[in-house]
Amino acid sequence: MLGAMATLDGKPVSADDLLSLALTNVGHFTSMRVDTDGSIRGLTLHMERLVRDCKIVWNAALNTDRVRDYVRQALEGQTLPCVVRISIYDPKVEMGHPADANEPHVLVSVRGAGALPPAPLRAQSLVYERDLPQVKHVGLFGALHARGAAQRAGFDDALFVGRDGFVSEGGTWNVAFVDQEGTVVWPDAPVLPGVTMALLQQQGEHRTATVTLDQARGMAAAFATNTSIGVRPLAAIDDTKFPVDHPVLRQLQEAYLSIPGETL
């Protein structure tokens, strides 16, 4: 089953292939939603992310033509829409000598995709800062631990607040707000430069500003974004409720869905 769901450099992946990824947890990835017509919104941005992060994590170049070939192969016979995750790691990496690993390989896995947008999200604010936030890396323990804590408290996910008191991002998503004048506000904080965030910022006049938790609670609306969820309204942050049918949110959802996809 594992080999049918994932490939490493275009070949079925084995448990041995994944040992270094499981035991050292060093690597980076991107996830892309493939729509029913086979197109991918922001495909170019996803490839640029992989190249950029590969240089940061592995000090190595990445051939995106090969990556595209592996993704095409992995999508053969798959039911669409789906989400493709491309993970870049070196099976030879060792805990004691990570600098010796500089030959990254391409792991491609596929999973089903839900309808857009999913149900509104209730988030609990937690003090947390991701390591190397500009990289979409596989070190997810802290983020998922925070998500689990939020869920055990009755919420759907965690909203991160830095030690400086400013809101940054969600567990695996960017966050933005609609202020009382109807302007979209993105937090000015160390965050992952999300592909969906970048696509939305191209669609209208948005602004970036530092946002405290109190300021966030005073916004007219809030939403989460990533490739799997598109524009997902936030129904609440802690005890503060937000309207999930704000007209700006509907405009953003429509604008995102109208962005043409790119083909592999």
Side-chain angles (χ1 to χ4, degrees), residues 153-164:
F155 294 84
D156 300 309
D157 211 336
L159 175 68
F160 301 153
V161 180
R163 286 168 289 184
D164 56 8

Side-chain angles (χ1 to χ4, degrees), residues 102-207:
N102 60 0
E103 296 181 11
H105 294 246
V106 182
L107 175 70
V108 180
S109 55
V110 181
R111 60 180 172 85
L116 290 179
L121 185 69
R122 296 176 63 254
Q124 181 185 36
S125 62
L126 295 171
V127 176
Y128 180 71
E129 299 171 359
R130 290 193 310 113
D131 293 330
L132 206 63
Q134 72 270 29
V135 172
K136 193 174 179 71
H137 54 74
V138 300
L140 296 175
F141 173 81
L144 296 186
H145 179 73
R147 174 175 286 170
Q151 290 176 347
R152 286 188 288 273
F155 294 84
D156 300 309
D157 211 336
L159 175 68
F160 301 153
V161 180
R163 286 168 289 184
D164 56 8
F166 295 120
V167 173
S168 58
E169 56 191 344
T172 51
W173 36 272
N174 290 111
V175 68
F177 304 93
V178 180
D179 67 18
Q180 298 298 334
E181 286 71 45
T183 301
V184 176
V185 182
W186 298 89
D188 183 5
V191 300
L192 179 73
V195 169
T196 304
M197 176 178 74
L199 293 174
L200 287 170
Q201 288 174 337
Q202 297 170 5
Q203 302 303 304
E205 293 296 327
H206 300 180
R207 68 183 178 94

